[in-house]
Amino acid sequence: MDIQSLFALALQDGKVKIKDANQLLEVIDFSEVASITDLRLAIESIGRVDLFPSEKSWNFALNIDEQNAKHGIRSFSIVSDGYPKHLKAIDNAPLVLHVRGSVRILQEINGIAVVGSRKISKAGAVIAHRIAKQAVERDWIVVSGLALGVDAEAHKGALAGGKPAATIAVLAHGLEKAKPATNALLGQEILDNGGAWVSEHPVGTPAKPPYFVQRNRIQLGLSVGSIIVEAEEKSGSITQAKFCVQQKRPLYAVIPESIDNPFGMVCSGTLMLVHKMGANPLRNKDDYPEMFERFERQKMLMQSL
């Protein structure tokens, strides 16, 4: 792990405010820093030695580095070369990103987030799988959360697209193993296919309810836009949709073709997104070409920036 990533982990353990941590990482010239001693001198020179991590926090960071090696995990601070630039561009980007699997796949501005409820209808499962498969066939990368329901179907559809490095799983815990256990084999298949797991949480961190909400911004940050396949109004996926709107990236939501909802889709949340938040509706597969064209324009915009 490079010294700026060790430093960022130590700052996190020391509960340094994210604004102060980001500022330190941005102002220090790490090309001139070869050791922790050099780093301390650099921080003293800008008058913020009060923020220099304690021995305990440095040992925390060094321990994470050792644990990473056991599990094939790499960690990147927000100023490290391996940190995706399009993720860095979002509001409240994670200070450190932990990656298991392909680092290269994260550098491409080529992701589409396909997410939704854990509660899923048969029609919703088919749609999530179909959208993800078509996305990969068009050379997109599917970003989702490896949860039960829509997320799992999105990853499966991406893998069915028949191309390597097809999907990224954003997890709400440390990357030593995939959770839930039900999707452990699917998680391994993602890695075996050249994909990646990512998280803002270091190895050994257990999943907690707030973490599932927080990861939504990372899913969006790695993507040109979002597709919400099925969701209730209080679904966690609505948080991602709101963040997508805030970041002004394209948002699509799957809704029934007719008001009577003949296939029993889970759609109170997706209907709300269309009618109240300006999401673009996806009623059937005839809507897909226009959606992919919109994502292509967004990709070109983000690449130019």
Side-chain angles (χ1 to χ4, degrees), residues 89-104:
I90 66 168
D91 295 336
N92 192 28
L95 191 68
V96 182
L97 190 70
H98 307 278
V99 183
R100 184 169 177 178
S102 172
V103 174
R104 180 195 60 78

Side-chain angles (χ1 to χ4, degrees), residues 253 255 269-283:
I255 61 174
T270 53
L271 284 167
M272 182 271 291
L273 293 176
V274 170
H275 296 312
K276 296 184 179 180
M277 293 182 58
N280 300 285
L282 292 177
R283 294 184 174 87

Side-chain angles (χ1 to χ4, degrees), residues 1 5 8-10 12-13 60-65 67-68 71 73-76 94-99 171-177 179 198-207 211:
M1 194 185 306
S5 299
L9 282 169
Q12 281 188 328
D13 184 68
F60 167 81
L62 292 168
N63 178 63
I64 294 300
D65 194 29
Q67 294 300 312
N68 279 358
H71 297 286
I73 300 167
R74 298 179 66 183
S75 299
F76 302 94
L95 191 68
V96 182
L97 190 70
H98 307 278
V99 183
L171 306 182
H173 49 77
L175 300 181
E176 64 273 18
K177 61 181 178 180
K179 299 172 188 175
V198 303
S199 176
E200 64 184 309
H201 303 291
V203 61
T205 305
Y211 296 168

